[in-house]
Amino acid sequence: PYPVPPIGKVDAGLLTLTGCHVESANRIQLPVPFKWPVRLVNLKRCVTRTRIPLYEPSEEGDDAPKTSDKELVLFNLHLEAFDDGEGKIAQTKMLAGLLQEEREKGNYVIAGGEFNQFFTPEDKEAYPDLAGKWYPGELDIEQFGKGWSFLTDRGIPSCRSLDRPYEGADHDSFQYYVIDGFIVSDNIQVHEIKTLDQGFVCSDHNPVLLTFTLGKREQ
């Protein structure tokens, strides 16, 4: 356990907030790569799947819009960080299956969070590895098949190293990463993805904003 002495009990989890009506939300356990007793002191990774019902435009004379047969399905995730790589591979494979299952139903699908992996070599090259620091894996995009966009903003780092306090330190000497982003199905039109430079004020991550519209762009 780190740090020593330990900081005591910690409540941790994933939270999805929305002003839309939520039909259902459930936690899906991801594969755990660690064996006993190491697994006792590691997070049990998961994704949360949130279903938001959609409505068809009201016809003239209808009192209320009709429920669509499609849903907006959101996956909130935090994949493995400190394994030897096998855990990331297994978790990514399971995530790809979950996303594909929803897309085959005709749903609009967005997966977002901390992947602890970079999507493209350009994401990693934006902030080269520094000696002695943790470094992420590479997401195997081929596992997802066709019909997906993998979106990050490498103009601003989404994560920083935790080897020392950020406040009062030389910020240029930190290790930075682009490991937060979104996977979006091809029936969603993306307008912008932007990492908000908030100076890691709340955590070791900066928030990433995605602006989108349901439906493909008209040609």
Side-chain angles (χ1 to χ4, degrees), residues 61-83:
D62 288 350
D63 295 329
K66 297 179 180 179
T67 304
S68 170
D69 60 351
K70 297 179 176 59
E71 300 173 302
L72 172 60
V73 184
L74 306 175
F75 288 89
N76 185 351
L77 59 90
H78 187 179
L79 302 186
E80 192 57 64
F82 305 112
D83 66 313

Side-chain angles (χ1 to χ4, degrees), residues 120-169:
T120 69
E122 289 78 12
D123 290 342
K124 186 175 183 180
E125 292 168 1
Y127 305 97
D129 293 341
L130 301 180
K133 307 298 184 183
W134 176 86
Y135 58 94
E138 181 175 3
L139 189 80
D140 184 6
I141 294 177
E142 297 298 325
Q143 292 194 49
F144 292 82
K146 298 180 179 180
W148 302 95
S149 295
F150 299 83
L151 305 172
T152 57
D153 173 18
R154 65 183 70 99
I156 299 293
S158 69
C159 180
R160 66 167 178 88
S161 58
L162 282 170
D163 53 305
R164 61 194 185 282
Y166 198 66
E167 185 175 358

Side-chain angles (χ1 to χ4, degrees), residues 53-68:
L54 304 176
Y55 299 91
E56 302 288 353
S58 297
E59 297 180 2
E60 186 176 354
D62 288 350
D63 295 329
K66 297 179 180 179
T67 304
S68 170

Side-chain angles (χ1 to χ4, degrees), residues 4 7-8 15 27 31 42 57 72 81 103-104 106 110 122 130 133 146-147 149 163 176 184 190 200 213-214 219:
V4 177
I7 61 177
L15 176 66
R27 179 186 188 275
N42 277 279
L72 172 60
R103 184 64 187 93
E104 290 175 356
I110 300 176
E122 289 78 12
L130 301 180
K133 307 298 184 183
K146 298 180 179 180
S149 295
D163 53 305
Y176 296 104
V184 180
V190 174
F200 306 103
T213 301
L214 300 184
Q219 301 298 324

